[in-house]
Amino acid sequence: MDALWCVLPAAGKGVRAGGDRPKQYQAVAGRPLMDHTLERLAAHPRIAGLLIVIAADDRHFAATDSILGKPLLTAVGGSERSYSVLAGIDALPAGVSDDAFVLVHDAARPCVRAADISRLIDLAGAAGGGLLGAPLRDTLKRADADCHSVATEPRDGRWRAFTPQMFRRGELARALRLAAADGIVVSDEAMAMERAGHAPLLVEGSEDNIKVTTPADFALAEFLLERTR
């Protein structure tokens, strides 16, 4: 398989993280969070280039056309993550065919391991598409409106979904357009593909592939960055 392009939706505000700027631009180990993510991806030998999808009013992105010798492109996103991903898919170079696989990765997941990316490409490529994730290991509770535990849910067959997620460019674009036309805001690419009749392969990855969401996550990400090469 040829090296793949990777789309990073980064148009969100990340309000749960607090701070005076979107979380992808807040500092981790002295540098913007997204810089760590971009370098982690660009360093992988099976990634050909990166396309970041930013907000129309983004004042923090430092424009550059390459990273670690690989092309870095930008596109303008929408009000929902899925709209931004579709904008990124549409903005990929013309040389990326509809049949080519592309990766989609959260800008706020800087700790993804190179070995997990390689495993995803190998296994999901053979299966027609898939995503990194991990089986649910904790006991799962259902809460009522007052946060009282009212039931224990089965965890068999339940997974946490991570990124990257990997699908063919044309199939993913069609699935995202179908969801938008149906008025459905999908939470990830796999959900769009499931609605379109696909069954993405779940590829187990490291659970330290965290998504930085709250203020406490920044310290954890800094700790993990030195241990997840």
Side-chain angles (χ1 to χ4, degrees):
M1 184 185 299
D2 293 336
L4 314 181
W5 274 79
C6 184
V7 173
L8 293 93
K13 304 301 182 185
V15 293
R16 283 179 289 177
D20 63 350
R21 62 192 62 200
K23 66 183 177 183
Q24 58 268 32
Y25 296 112
Q26 294 187 42
V28 173
R31 302 173 59 210
L33 169 66
M34 190 164 68
D35 285 8
H36 294 285
T37 306
L38 290 170
E39 288 192 0
R40 182 68 60 98
L41 295 168
H44 197 284
R46 299 177 73 177
I47 291 180
L50 305 168
L51 191 149
I52 308 171
V53 187
I54 60 176
D57 60 351
D58 191 317
R59 296 177 288 105
H60 304 285
F61 180 69
T64 180
D65 59 6
S66 67
I67 181 168
L68 299 183
K70 296 182 178 179
L72 178 62
L73 306 179
T74 59
V76 174
S79 58
E80 300 288 349
R81 181 185 188 278
S82 57
Y83 304 158
S84 293
V85 172
L86 181 56
I89 295 295
D90 287 344
L92 286 168
V96 182
S97 72
D98 276 354
D99 287 336
F101 283 102
V102 296
L103 298 167
V104 179
H105 186 64
D106 295 324
R109 288 188 189 270
C111 302
V112 60
R113 293 175 181 260
D116 286 352
I117 297 173
S118 296
R119 188 180 311 110
L120 175 68
I121 292 172
D122 289 338
L123 297 180
L131 64 153
L132 287 179
L136 190 64
R137 308 185 201 282
D138 297 321
T139 298
L140 184 64
K141 298 293 186 181
R142 189 192 325 148
D144 64 16
D146 298 318
C147 291
H148 296 289
S149 178
V150 296
T152 299
E153 301 284 356
R155 62 189 173 195
D156 295 345
R158 306 288 181 88
W159 283 57
R160 298 164 55 211
F162 302 156
T163 65
Q165 303 194 3
M166 177 178 139
F167 299 104
R168 296 188 189 277
R169 180 184 187 178
E171 290 179 344
L172 179 55
R174 285 191 291 273
L176 290 168
R177 286 194 173 91
L178 176 63
D182 290 343
I184 303 296
V185 177
V186 295
S187 56
D188 68 354
E189 294 67 57
M191 180 179 173
M193 295 296 284
E194 292 154 9
R195 292 189 72 258
H198 300 272
L201 181 69
L202 287 158
V203 177
E204 186 166 359
S206 303
E207 295 195 46
D208 50 21
N209 180 12
I210 66 166
K211 183 177 182 180
V212 175
T213 303
T214 68
D217 293 334
F218 286 90
L220 179 58
E222 185 167 342
F223 174 81
L224 291 171
L225 277 168
E226 293 301 320
R227 293 163 173 78
T228 56
R229 299 296 176 186

